Amino acid sequence: MPAFLPVLGVETSCDETAVAIYDGDRGLLAHLLHSQAAMHAEYGGVVPELAARDHVARIHALVAETLRRGGLGRGDIGAVAYTAGPGLIGALLVGGAFAAGFAAATGARLLPVHHLEGHLLAPMLEEKRPEFPFVALLVSGGHTLLARVEGVGRYAILGQTLDDAAGEAFDKTAKALGLPYPGGPQLAKLAAGGRTGRFRFARPMTDRPGLDFSFSGLKTAVLTALPADADAQTRADIAHAFEEAVTETLAIKCLRACDETGLRRLVVAGGVGANRRLRERLDTAARRNGIELFFPRAEFCTDNGAMIAYAGWARLASALPAEAGIVARARWPLHELTPP
Ligand code: KG4
Ligand code: ZN
């Protein structure tokens, strides 16, 4: 298949049904997303079975509408890329089964995509694109890691979280502060009204060498600091101190990763990359240290179909092998993508 035929991307790894079409010549032609956040909010977190069922209910109409907006028919799609993992197994299987059906019906190629590869390559959807190699900080609800990205499909993990992911820490802390799910963006909003100086939390693992992270202690520190009868200002002050601790920790490790690798390009990806305070900090740090910084726009930091369509296209364009059939892996270490 020539790489210039449009690629349909399907993302169903968690609580977003997302679809997009990427074309090598014309770029992103259309992208749509349905968030299940409101449905899961009642339970305080994602309910896997409900997520899978809702993907089933949404996927057909979402793909039809994305094709319509892109001005394409089903027969114009050259390949269908879908998130094969890591993620919720039932949710993944919906996207995989849909993609396999679409491919069988249209003759399009079927491309399983690693969710984290999608996040890592998301900045390529922007006008200002990083050149390889670069350091990438991937901070999402399920993962927190620093990687050296040599090219499409070539990733070396430099460090990762030993316990909670940064987004998970945001979500759990938000819950402790009485905020509704999904907590990360809500906590960031609360933190904006918080004052500096009243609370201070440690910057975990920054006082020793290495590029790993640990965020579970921070959540415990918040719980210990939080009075049972905390008023609104106290909650905001704690949210502020928590956000400062997480973002400063991430910024310190990013600079360290750039110094240790000698690379001067830094990409930030994943849901927590949408955090404004993190962006501000990294902007300042990058300017001071001669580092070029790349962010996908906020809607391509959180889960989306565009990054999966792009990653599928990039794999085709690089003639990387794709597995046949429906692949769905709840757990899938990123380093397994790197050819031996
Ligand atoms: O990448 P993503 O959409 O899904 C995963 O693959 O995990 O990331 C979702 C995570 C959630 O933990 C959410 O709370 C967090 O990203 N998040 C934020 C913000 N926006 C999303 N955390 C802090 N500040 C934000 N503005
Ligand atoms: Zn994600």
Side-chain angles (χ1 to χ4, degrees), residues 16-43:
E16 258 106 30
T17 320
V19 180
I21 303 167
Y22 185 85
D23 178 276
D25 294 327
R26 292 175 290 166
L28 193 63
L29 298 183
H31 63 103
L32 280 177
L33 178 146
H34 171 78
S35 169
Q36 304 175 352
M39 182 180 80
H40 296 294
E42 195 183 328
Y43 306 95

mmCIF file with all atom_site columns, all heavy atoms in Angstrom, residues 16-43:
data_model
loop_
_atom_site.group_PDB
_atom_site.id
_atom_site.type_symbol
_atom_site.label_atom_id
_atom_site.label_alt_id
_atom_site.label_comp_id
_atom_site.label_asym_id
_atom_site.label_entity_id
_atom_site.label_seq_id
_atom_site.pdbx_PDB_ins_code
_atom_site.Cartn_x
_atom_site.Cartn_y
_atom_site.Cartn_z
_atom_site.occupancy
_atom_site.B_iso_or_equiv
_atom_site.pdbx_formal_charge
_atom_site.auth_seq_id
_atom_site.auth_comp_id
_atom_site.auth_asym_id
_atom_site.auth_atom_id
_atom_site.pdbx_PDB_model_num
ATOM 1   N N   . GLU A 1 16 ? -12.159 6.874  26.543 1.00 0.00 ? 16 GLU A N   1
ATOM 2   C CA  . GLU A 1 16 ? -12.439 7.760  25.427 1.00 0.00 ? 16 GLU A CA  1
ATOM 3   C C   . GLU A 1 16 ? -12.584 6.936  24.153 1.00 0.00 ? 16 GLU A C   1
ATOM 4   O O   . GLU A 1 16 ? -11.722 6.132  23.844 1.00 0.00 ? 16 GLU A O   1
ATOM 5   C CB  . GLU A 1 16 ? -11.284 8.754  25.218 1.00 0.00 ? 16 GLU A CB  1
ATOM 6   C CG  . GLU A 1 16 ? -11.576 10.125 25.745 1.00 0.00 ? 16 GLU A CG  1
ATOM 7   C CD  . GLU A 1 16 ? -10.832 10.432 27.026 1.00 0.00 ? 16 GLU A CD  1
ATOM 8   O OE1 . GLU A 1 16 ? -9.731  9.883  27.194 1.00 0.00 ? 16 GLU A OE1 1
ATOM 9   O OE2 . GLU A 1 16 ? -11.361 11.191 27.845 1.00 0.00 ? 16 GLU A OE2 1
ATOM 10  N N   . THR A 1 17 ? -13.695 7.151  23.442 1.00 0.00 ? 17 THR A N   1
ATOM 11  C CA  . THR A 1 17 ? -13.800 6.567  22.106 1.00 0.00 ? 17 THR A CA  1
ATOM 12  C C   . THR A 1 17 ? -13.329 7.669  21.173 1.00 0.00 ? 17 THR A C   1
ATOM 13  O O   . THR A 1 17 ? -13.945 8.743  21.119 1.00 0.00 ? 17 THR A O   1
ATOM 14  C CB  . THR A 1 17 ? -15.261 6.206  21.763 1.00 0.00 ? 17 THR A CB  1
ATOM 15  O OG1 . THR A 1 17 ? -15.894 5.656  22.916 1.00 0.00 ? 17 THR A OG1 1
ATOM 16  C CG2 . THR A 1 17 ? -15.321 5.211  20.613 1.00 0.00 ? 17 THR A CG2 1
ATOM 17  N N   . ALA A 1 18 ? -12.227 7.428  20.458 1.00 0.00 ? 18 ALA A N   1
ATOM 18  C CA  . ALA A 1 18 ? -11.649 8.500  19.649 1.00 0.00 ? 18 ALA A CA  1
ATOM 19  C C   . ALA A 1 18 ? -11.262 7.972  18.278 1.00 0.00 ? 18 ALA A C   1
ATOM 20  O O   . ALA A 1 18 ? -10.726 6.865  18.152 1.00 0.00 ? 18 ALA A O   1
ATOM 21  C CB  . ALA A 1 18 ? -10.441 9.096  20.354 1.00 0.00 ? 18 ALA A CB  1
ATOM 22  N N   . VAL A 1 19 ? -11.549 8.771  17.265 1.00 0.00 ? 19 VAL A N   1
ATOM 23  C CA  . VAL A 1 19 ? -11.321 8.359  15.883 1.00 0.00 ? 19 VAL A CA  1
ATOM 24  C C   . VAL A 1 19 ? -10.700 9.530  15.130 1.00 0.00 ? 19 VAL A C   1
ATOM 25  O O   . VAL A 1 19 ? -11.056 10.687 15.375 1.00 0.00 ? 19 VAL A O   1
ATOM 26  C CB  . VAL A 1 19 ? -12.670 7.974  15.211 1.00 0.00 ? 19 VAL A CB  1
ATOM 27  C CG1 . VAL A 1 19 ? -12.453 7.551  13.770 1.00 0.00 ? 19 VAL A CG1 1
ATOM 28  C CG2 . VAL A 1 19 ? -13.366 6.866  15.991 1.00 0.00 ? 19 VAL A CG2 1
ATOM 29  N N   . ALA A 1 20 ? -9.779  9.242  14.204 1.00 0.00 ? 20 ALA A N   1
ATOM 30  C CA  . ALA A 1 20 ? -9.177  10.313 13.405 1.00 0.00 ? 20 ALA A CA  1
ATOM 31  C C   . ALA A 1 20 ? -8.704  9.753  12.075 1.00 0.00 ? 20 ALA A C   1
ATOM 32  O O   . ALA A 1 20 ? -8.578  8.528  11.916 1.00 0.00 ? 20 ALA A O   1
ATOM 33  C CB  . ALA A 1 20 ? -8.008  10.941 14.148 1.00 0.00 ? 20 ALA A CB  1
ATOM 34  N N   . ILE A 1 21 ? -8.457  10.647 11.138 1.00 0.00 ? 21 ILE A N   1
ATOM 35  C CA  . ILE A 1 21 ? -7.891  10.242 9.845  1.00 0.00 ? 21 ILE A CA  1
ATOM 36  C C   . ILE A 1 21 ? -6.652  11.086 9.587  1.00 0.00 ? 21 ILE A C   1
ATOM 37  O O   . ILE A 1 21 ? -6.710  12.328 9.631  1.00 0.00 ? 21 ILE A O   1
ATOM 38  C CB  . ILE A 1 21 ? -8.901  10.453 8.701  1.00 0.00 ? 21 ILE A CB  1
ATOM 39  C CG1 . ILE A 1 21 ? -10.197 9.687  8.981  1.00 0.00 ? 21 ILE A CG1 1
ATOM 40  C CG2 . ILE A 1 21 ? -8.292  9.986  7.367  1.00 0.00 ? 21 ILE A CG2 1
ATOM 41  C CD1 . ILE A 1 21 ? -11.352 10.090 8.072  1.00 0.00 ? 21 ILE A CD1 1
ATOM 42  N N   . TYR A 1 22 ? -5.516  10.409 9.352  1.00 0.00 ? 22 TYR A N   1
ATOM 43  C CA  . TYR A 1 22 ? -4.263  11.105 9.050  1.00 0.00 ? 22 TYR A CA  1
ATOM 44  C C   . TYR A 1 22 ? -3.802  10.735 7.652  1.00 0.00 ? 22 TYR A C   1
ATOM 45  O O   . TYR A 1 22 ? -3.844  9.575  7.248  1.00 0.00 ? 22 TYR A O   1
ATOM 46  C CB  . TYR A 1 22 ? -3.171  10.737 10.064 1.00 0.00 ? 22 TYR A CB  1
ATOM 47  C CG  . TYR A 1 22 ? -1.908  11.535 9.842  1.00 0.00 ? 22 TYR A CG  1
ATOM 48  C CD1 . TYR A 1 22 ? -1.771  12.807 10.395 1.00 0.00 ? 22 TYR A CD1 1
ATOM 49  C CD2 . TYR A 1 22 ? -0.881  11.044 9.043  1.00 0.00 ? 22 TYR A CD2 1
ATOM 50  C CE1 . TYR A 1 22 ? -0.637  13.569 10.172 1.00 0.00 ? 22 TYR A CE1 1
ATOM 51  C CE2 . TYR A 1 22 ? 0.262   11.801 8.812  1.00 0.00 ? 22 TYR A CE2 1
ATOM 52  C CZ  . TYR A 1 22 ? 0.380   13.052 9.380  1.00 0.00 ? 22 TYR A CZ  1
ATOM 53  O OH  . TYR A 1 22 ? 1.504   13.807 9.141  1.00 0.00 ? 22 TYR A OH  1
ATOM 54  N N   . ASP A 1 23 ? -3.367  11.747 6.920  1.00 0.00 ? 23 ASP A N   1
ATOM 55  C CA  . ASP A 1 23 ? -2.899  11.550 5.556  1.00 0.00 ? 23 ASP A CA  1
ATOM 56  C C   . ASP A 1 23 ? -1.486  12.134 5.444  1.00 0.00 ? 23 ASP A C   1
ATOM 57  O O   . ASP A 1 23 ? -1.243  13.253 5.924  1.00 0.00 ? 23 ASP A O   1
ATOM 58  C CB  . ASP A 1 23 ? -3.869  12.283 4.615  1.00 0.00 ? 23 ASP A CB  1
ATOM 59  C CG  . ASP A 1 23 ? -3.451  12.179 3.167  1.00 0.00 ? 23 ASP A CG  1
ATOM 60  O OD1 . ASP A 1 23 ? -2.604  12.998 2.737  1.00 0.00 ? 23 ASP A OD1 1
ATOM 61  O OD2 . ASP A 1 23 ? -3.948  11.284 2.478  1.00 0.00 ? 23 ASP A OD2 1
ATOM 62  N N   . GLY A 1 24 ? -0.582  11.379 4.851  1.00 0.00 ? 24 GLY A N   1
ATOM 63  C CA  . GLY A 1 24 ? 0.816   11.795 4.770  1.00 0.00 ? 24 GLY A CA  1
ATOM 64  C C   . GLY A 1 24 ? 1.010   13.125 4.065  1.00 0.00 ? 24 GLY A C   1
ATOM 65  O O   . GLY A 1 24 ? 1.872   13.918 4.438  1.00 0.00 ? 24 GLY A O   1
ATOM 66  N N   . ASP A 1 25 ? 0.224   13.381 3.041  1.00 0.00 ? 25 ASP A N   1
ATOM 67  C CA  . ASP A 1 25 ? 0.366   14.630 2.278  1.00 0.00 ? 25 ASP A CA  1
ATOM 68  C C   . ASP A 1 25 ? -0.401  15.784 2.907  1.00 0.00 ? 25 ASP A C   1
ATOM 69  O O   . ASP A 1 25 ? 0.070   16.903 2.971  1.00 0.00 ? 25 ASP A O   1
ATOM 70  C CB  . ASP A 1 25 ? -0.151  14.441 0.841  1.00 0.00 ? 25 ASP A CB  1
ATOM 71  C CG  . ASP A 1 25 ? 0.717   13.455 0.081  1.00 0.00 ? 25 ASP A CG  1
ATOM 72  O OD1 . ASP A 1 25 ? 1.933   13.430 0.371  1.00 0.00 ? 25 ASP A OD1 1
ATOM 73  O OD2 . ASP A 1 25 ? 0.182   12.708 -0.757 1.00 0.00 ? 25 ASP A OD2 1
ATOM 74  N N   . ARG A 1 26 ? -1.599  15.470 3.351  1.00 0.00 ? 26 ARG A N   1
ATOM 75  C CA  . ARG A 1 26 ? -2.499  16.556 3.791  1.00 0.00 ? 26 ARG A CA  1
ATOM 76  C C   . ARG A 1 26 ? -2.582  16.698 5.297  1.00 0.00 ? 26 ARG A C   1
ATOM 77  O O   . ARG A 1 26 ? -3.240  17.595 5.809  1.00 0.00 ? 26 ARG A O   1
ATOM 78  C CB  . ARG A 1 26 ? -3.897  16.326 3.191  1.00 0.00 ? 26 ARG A CB  1
ATOM 79  C CG  . ARG A 1 26 ? -3.917  16.514 1.662  1.00 0.00 ? 26 ARG A CG  1
ATOM 80  C CD  . ARG A 1 26 ? -5.278  16.155 1.081  1.00 0.00 ? 26 ARG A CD  1
ATOM 81  N NE  . ARG A 1 26 ? -5.519  14.715 1.140  1.00 0.00 ? 26 ARG A NE  1
ATOM 82  C CZ  . ARG A 1 26 ? -6.706  14.142 0.947  1.00 0.00 ? 26 ARG A CZ  1
ATOM 83  N NH1 . ARG A 1 26 ? -7.766  14.895 0.716  1.00 0.00 ? 26 ARG A NH1 1
ATOM 84  N NH2 . ARG A 1 26 ? -6.844  12.829 1.003  1.00 0.00 ? 26 ARG A NH2 1
ATOM 85  N N   . GLY A 1 27 ? -1.927  15.820 6.041  1.00 0.00 ? 27 GLY A N   1
ATOM 86  C CA  . GLY A 1 27 ? -1.950  15.912 7.508  1.00 0.00 ? 27 GLY A CA  1
ATOM 87  C C   . GLY A 1 27 ? -3.230  15.334 8.094  1.00 0.00 ? 27 GLY A C   1
ATOM 88  O O   . GLY A 1 27 ? -3.845  14.435 7.521  1.00 0.00 ? 27 GLY A O   1
ATOM 89  N N   . LEU A 1 28 ? -3.635  15.907 9.201  1.00 0.00 ? 28 LEU A N   1
ATOM 90  C CA  . LEU A 1 28 ? -4.810  15.413 9.907  1.00 0.00 ? 28 LEU A CA  1
ATOM 91  C C   . LEU A 1 28 ? -6.077  15.900 9.201  1.00 0.00 ? 28 LEU A C   1
ATOM 92  O O   . LEU A 1 28 ? -6.294  17.101 9.065  1.00 0.00 ? 28 LEU A O   1
ATOM 93  C CB  . LEU A 1 28 ? -4.764  15.941 11.346 1.00 0.00 ? 28 LEU A CB  1
ATOM 94  C CG  . LEU A 1 28 ? -5.731  15.312 12.329 1.00 0.00 ? 28 LEU A CG  1
ATOM 95  C CD1 . LEU A 1 28 ? -5.441  13.826 12.516 1.00 0.00 ? 28 LEU A CD1 1
ATOM 96  C CD2 . LEU A 1 28 ? -5.630  16.033 13.674 1.00 0.00 ? 28 LEU A CD2 1
ATOM 97  N N   . LEU A 1 29 ? -6.908  14.968 8.743  1.00 0.00 ? 29 LEU A N   1
ATOM 98  C CA  . LEU A 1 29 ? -8.093  15.360 7.965  1.00 0.00 ? 29 LEU A CA  1
ATOM 99  C C   . LEU A 1 29 ? -9.325  15.535 8.852  1.00 0.00 ? 29 LEU A C   1
ATOM 100 O O   . LEU A 1 29 ? -10.198 16.351 8.550  1.00 0.00 ? 29 LEU A O   1
ATOM 101 C CB  . LEU A 1 29 ? -8.383  14.309 6.889  1.00 0.00 ? 29 LEU A CB  1
ATOM 102 C CG  . LEU A 1 29 ? -7.276  14.119 5.852  1.00 0.00 ? 29 LEU A CG  1
ATOM 103 C CD1 . LEU A 1 29 ? -7.709  13.108 4.793  1.00 0.00 ? 29 LEU A CD1 1
ATOM 104 C CD2 . LEU A 1 29 ? -6.902  15.442 5.189  1.00 0.00 ? 29 LEU A CD2 1
ATOM 105 N N   . ALA A 1 30 ? -9.418  14.769 9.915  1.00 0.00 ? 30 ALA A N   1
ATOM 106 C CA  . ALA A 1 30 ? -10.563 14.893 10.829 1.00 0.00 ? 30 ALA A CA  1
ATOM 107 C C   . ALA A 1 30 ? -10.238 14.137 12.108 1.00 0.00 ? 30 ALA A C   1
ATOM 108 O O   . ALA A 1 30 ? -9.479  13.163 12.082 1.00 0.00 ? 30 ALA A O   1
ATOM 109 C CB  . ALA A 1 30 ? -11.817 14.289 10.188 1.00 0.00 ? 30 ALA A CB  1
ATOM 110 N N   . HIS A 1 31 ? -10.776 14.613 13.221 1.00 0.00 ? 31 HIS A N   1
ATOM 111 C CA  . HIS A 1 31 ? -10.641 13.849 14.465 1.00 0.00 ? 31 HIS A CA  1
ATOM 112 C C   . HIS A 1 31 ? -11.820 14.146 15.366 1.00 0.00 ? 31 HIS A C   1
ATOM 113 O O   . HIS A 1 31 ? -12.269 15.287 15.464 1.00 0.00 ? 31 HIS A O   1
ATOM 114 C CB  . HIS A 1 31 ? -9.315  14.148 15.167 1.00 0.00 ? 31 HIS A CB  1
ATOM 115 C CG  . HIS A 1 31 ? -9.141  15.564 15.614 1.00 0.00 ? 31 HIS A CG  1
ATOM 116 N ND1 . HIS A 1 31 ? -9.281  15.968 16.909 1.00 0.00 ? 31 HIS A ND1 1
ATOM 117 C CD2 . HIS A 1 31 ? -8.849  16.672 14.915 1.00 0.00 ? 31 HIS A CD2 1
ATOM 118 C CE1 . HIS A 1 31 ? -9.088  17.254 16.994 1.00 0.00 ? 31 HIS A CE1 1
ATOM 119 N NE2 . HIS A 1 31 ? -8.821  17.724 15.803 1.00 0.00 ? 31 HIS A NE2 1
ATOM 120 N N   . LEU A 1 32 ? -12.349 13.099 15.998 1.00 0.00 ? 32 LEU A N   1
ATOM 121 C CA  . LEU A 1 32 ? -13.517 13.217 16.869 1.00 0.00 ? 32 LEU A CA  1
ATOM 122 C C   . LEU A 1 32 ? -13.303 12.360 18.104 1.00 0.00 ? 32 LEU A C   1
ATOM 123 O O   . LEU A 1 32 ? -12.576 11.356 18.060 1.00 0.00 ? 32 LEU A O   1
ATOM 124 C CB  . LEU A 1 32 ? -14.768 12.712 16.147 1.00 0.00 ? 32 LEU A CB  1
ATOM 125 C CG  . LEU A 1 32 ? -15.450 13.662 15.157 1.00 0.00 ? 32 LEU A CG  1
ATOM 126 C CD1 . LEU A 1 32 ? -16.611 12.946 14.494 1.00 0.00 ? 32 LEU A CD1 1
ATOM 127 C CD2 . LEU A 1 32 ? -15.941 14.918 15.870 1.00 0.00 ? 32 LEU A CD2 1
ATOM 128 N N   . LEU A 1 33 ? -13.961 12.763 19.176 1.00 0.00 ? 33 LEU A N   1
ATOM 129 C CA  . LEU A 1 33 ? -13.779 12.031 20.422 1.00 0.00 ? 33 LEU A CA  1
ATOM 130 C C   . LEU A 1 33 ? -15.071 12.064 21.229 1.00 0.00 ? 33 LEU A C   1
ATOM 131 O O   . LEU A 1 33 ? -15.733 13.094 21.283 1.00 0.00 ? 33 LEU A O   1
ATOM 132 C CB  . LEU A 1 33 ? -12.646 12.708 21.195 1.00 0.00 ? 33 LEU A CB  1
ATOM 133 C CG  . LEU A 1 33 ? -12.265 12.184 22.568 1.00 0.00 ? 33 LEU A CG  1
ATOM 134 C CD1 . LEU A 1 33 ? -10.767 12.339 22.773 1.00 0.00 ? 33 LEU A CD1 1
ATOM 135 C CD2 . LEU A 1 33 ? -12.997 12.913 23.681 1.00 0.00 ? 33 LEU A CD2 1
ATOM 136 N N   . HIS A 1 34 ? -15.400 10.919 21.801 1.00 0.00 ? 34 HIS A N   1
ATOM 137 C CA  . HIS A 1 34 ? -16.490 10.915 22.780 1.00 0.00 ? 34 HIS A CA  1
ATOM 138 C C   . HIS A 1 34 ? -15.909 10.512 24.127 1.00 0.00 ? 34 HIS A C   1
ATOM 139 O O   . HIS A 1 34 ? -15.340 9.425  24.264 1.00 0.00 ? 34 HIS A O   1
ATOM 140 C CB  . HIS A 1 34 ? -17.599 9.933  22.386 1.00 0.00 ? 34 HIS A CB  1
ATOM 141 C CG  . HIS A 1 34 ? -18.588 9.783  23.492 1.00 0.00 ? 34 HIS A CG  1
ATOM 142 N ND1 . HIS A 1 34 ? -19.559 10.722 23.748 1.00 0.00 ? 34 HIS A ND1 1
ATOM 143 C CD2 . HIS A 1 34 ? -18.706 8.856  24.476 1.00 0.00 ? 34 HIS A CD2 1
ATOM 144 C CE1 . HIS A 1 34 ? -20.251 10.362 24.815 1.00 0.00 ? 34 HIS A CE1 1
ATOM 145 N NE2 . HIS A 1 34 ? -19.754 9.234  25.276 1.00 0.00 ? 34 HIS A NE2 1
ATOM 146 N N   . SER A 1 35 ? -16.025 11.389 25.123 1.00 0.00 ? 35 SER A N   1
ATOM 147 C CA  . SER A 1 35 ? -15.503 11.083 26.453 1.00 0.00 ? 35 SER A CA  1
ATOM 148 C C   . SER A 1 35 ? -16.596 10.440 27.304 1.00 0.00 ? 35 SER A C   1
ATOM 149 O O   . SER A 1 35 ? -17.727 10.911 27.348 1.00 0.00 ? 35 SER A O   1
ATOM 150 C CB  . SER A 1 35 ? -15.008 12.353 27.137 1.00 0.00 ? 35 SER A CB  1
ATOM 151 O OG  . SER A 1 35 ? -14.764 12.063 28.498 1.00 0.00 ? 35 SER A OG  1
ATOM 152 N N   . GLN A 1 36 ? -16.220 9.369  28.002 1.00 0.00 ? 36 GLN A N   1
ATOM 153 C CA  . GLN A 1 36 ? -17.167 8.691  28.898 1.00 0.00 ? 36 GLN A CA  1
ATOM 154 C C   . GLN A 1 36 ? -17.070 9.219  30.322 1.00 0.00 ? 36 GLN A C   1
ATOM 155 O O   . GLN A 1 36 ? -17.690 8.661  31.235 1.00 0.00 ? 36 GLN A O   1
ATOM 156 C CB  . GLN A 1 36 ? -16.869 7.186  28.922 1.00 0.00 ? 36 GLN A CB  1
ATOM 157 C CG  . GLN A 1 36 ? -16.880 6.513  27.578 1.00 0.00 ? 36 GLN A CG  1
ATOM 158 C CD  . GLN A 1 36 ? -16.446 5.048  27.685 1.00 0.00 ? 36 GLN A CD  1
ATOM 159 O OE1 . GLN A 1 36 ? -16.002 4.588  28.738 1.00 0.00 ? 36 GLN A OE1 1
ATOM 160 N NE2 . GLN A 1 36 ? -16.572 4.307  26.596 1.00 0.00 ? 36 GLN A NE2 1
ATOM 161 N N   . ALA A 1 37 ? -16.275 10.293 30.515 1.00 0.00 ? 37 ALA A N   1
ATOM 162 C CA  . ALA A 1 37 ? -15.970 10.766 31.877 1.00 0.00 ? 37 ALA A CA  1
ATOM 163 C C   . ALA A 1 37 ? -17.233 10.938 32.719 1.00 0.00 ? 37 ALA A C   1
ATOM 164 O O   . ALA A 1 37 ? -17.277 10.506 33.877 1.00 0.00 ? 37 ALA A O   1
ATOM 165 C CB  . ALA A 1 37 ? -15.174 12.058 31.829 1.00 0.00 ? 37 ALA A CB  1
ATOM 166 N N   . ALA A 1 38 ? -18.272 11.549 32.150 1.00 0.00 ? 38 ALA A N   1
ATOM 167 C CA  . ALA A 1 38 ? -19.486 11.825 32.930 1.00 0.00 ? 38 ALA A CA  1
ATOM 168 C C   . ALA A 1 38 ? -20.135 10.511 33.398 1.00 0.00 ? 38 ALA A C   1
ATOM 169 O O   . ALA A 1 38 ? -20.637 10.419 34.515 1.00 0.00 ? 38 ALA A O   1
ATOM 170 C CB  . ALA A 1 38 ? -20.466 12.631 32.094 1.00 0.00 ? 38 ALA A CB  1
ATOM 171 N N   . MET A 1 39 ? -20.077 9.497  32.532 1.00 0.00 ? 39 MET A N   1
ATOM 172 C CA  . MET A 1 39 ? -20.683 8.203  32.868 1.00 0.00 ? 39 MET A CA  1
ATOM 173 C C   . MET A 1 39 ? -19.954 7.539  34.052 1.00 0.00 ? 39 MET A C   1
ATOM 174 O O   . MET A 1 39 ? -20.572 6.962  34.944 1.00 0.00 ? 39 MET A O   1
ATOM 175 C CB  . MET A 1 39 ? -20.621 7.293  31.640 1.00 0.00 ? 39 MET A CB  1
ATOM 176 C CG  . MET A 1 39 ? -21.266 5.943  31.836 1.00 0.00 ? 39 MET A CG  1
ATOM 177 S SD  . MET A 1 39 ? -21.136 4.950  30.337 1.00 0.00 ? 39 MET A SD  1
ATOM 178 C CE  . MET A 1 39 ? -19.459 4.363  30.471 1.00 0.00 ? 39 MET A CE  1
ATOM 179 N N   . HIS A 1 40 ? -18.611 7.630  34.049 1.00 0.00 ? 40 HIS A N   1
ATOM 180 C CA  . HIS A 1 40 ? -17.837 6.971  35.109 1.00 0.00 ? 40 HIS A CA  1
ATOM 181 C C   . HIS A 1 40 ? -17.790 7.802  36.392 1.00 0.00 ? 40 HIS A C   1
ATOM 182 O O   . HIS A 1 40 ? -17.467 7.258  37.462 1.00 0.00 ? 40 HIS A O   1
ATOM 183 C CB  . HIS A 1 40 ? -16.417 6.699  34.622 1.00 0.00 ? 40 HIS A CB  1
ATOM 184 C CG  . HIS A 1 40 ? -16.346 5.741  33.463 1.00 0.00 ? 40 HIS A CG  1
ATOM 185 N ND1 . HIS A 1 40 ? -16.696 4.414  33.576 1.00 0.00 ? 40 HIS A ND1 1
ATOM 186 C CD2 . HIS A 1 40 ? -15.984 5.930  32.166 1.00 0.00 ? 40 HIS A CD2 1
ATOM 187 C CE1 . HIS A 1 40 ? -16.537 3.815  32.395 1.00 0.00 ? 40 HIS A CE1 1
ATOM 188 N NE2 . HIS A 1 40 ? -16.115 4.726  31.523 1.00 0.00 ? 40 HIS A NE2 1
ATOM 189 N N   . ALA A 1 41 ? -18.077 9.112  36.287 1.00 0.00 ? 41 ALA A N   1
ATOM 190 C CA  . ALA A 1 41 ? -17.934 10.019 37.439 1.00 0.00 ? 41 ALA A CA  1
ATOM 191 C C   . ALA A 1 41 ? -18.734 9.518  38.644 1.00 0.00 ? 41 ALA A C   1
ATOM 192 O O   . ALA A 1 41 ? -18.277 9.591  39.785 1.00 0.00 ? 41 ALA A O   1
ATOM 193 C CB  . ALA A 1 41 ? -18.369 11.430 37.055 1.00 0.00 ? 41 ALA A CB  1
ATOM 194 N N   . GLU A 1 42 ? -19.906 8.978  38.368 1.00 0.00 ? 42 GLU A N   1
ATOM 195 C CA  . GLU A 1 42 ? -20.791 8.472  39.413 1.00 0.00 ? 42 GLU A CA  1
ATOM 196 C C   . GLU A 1 42 ? -20.091 7.415  40.288 1.00 0.00 ? 42 GLU A C   1
ATOM 197 O O   . GLU A 1 42 ? -20.398 7.252  41.456 1.00 0.00 ? 42 GLU A O   1
ATOM 198 C CB  . GLU A 1 42 ? -21.987 7.833  38.697 1.00 0.00 ? 42 GLU A CB  1
ATOM 199 C CG  . GLU A 1 42 ? -23.174 7.561  39.544 1.00 0.00 ? 42 GLU A CG  1
ATOM 200 C CD  . GLU A 1 42 ? -24.267 6.868  38.720 1.00 0.00 ? 42 GLU A CD  1
ATOM 201 O OE1 . GLU A 1 42 ? -24.375 7.149  37.493 1.00 0.00 ? 42 GLU A OE1 1
ATOM 202 O OE2 . GLU A 1 42 ? -24.980 6.056  39.287 1.00 0.00 ? 42 GLU A OE2 1
ATOM 203 N N   . TYR A 1 43 ? -19.136 6.672  39.697 1.00 0.00 ? 43 TYR A N   1
ATOM 204 C CA  . TYR A 1 43 ? -18.451 5.588  40.409 1.00 0.00 ? 43 TYR A CA  1
ATOM 205 C C   . TYR A 1 43 ? -17.081 6.024  40.930 1.00 0.00 ? 43 TYR A C   1
ATOM 206 O O   . TYR A 1 43 ? -16.370 5.226  41.513 1.00 0.00 ? 43 TYR A O   1
ATOM 207 C CB  . TYR A 1 43 ? -18.296 4.373  39.476 1.00 0.00 ? 43 TYR A CB  1
ATOM 208 C CG  . TYR A 1 43 ? -19.622 3.938  38.878 1.00 0.00 ? 43 TYR A CG  1
ATOM 209 C CD1 . TYR A 1 43 ? -20.019 4.395  37.629 1.00 0.00 ? 43 TYR A CD1 1
ATOM 210 C CD2 . TYR A 1 43 ? -20.485 3.107  39.592 1.00 0.00 ? 43 TYR A CD2 1
ATOM 211 C CE1 . TYR A 1 43 ? -21.243 4.022  37.085 1.00 0.00 ? 43 TYR A CE1 1
ATOM 212 C CE2 . TYR A 1 43 ? -21.707 2.735  39.067 1.00 0.00 ? 43 TYR A CE2 1
ATOM 213 C CZ  . TYR A 1 43 ? -22.084 3.196  37.813 1.00 0.00 ? 43 TYR A CZ  1
ATOM 214 O OH  . TYR A 1 43 ? -23.291 2.843  37.294 1.00 0.00 ? 43 TYR A OH  1
#
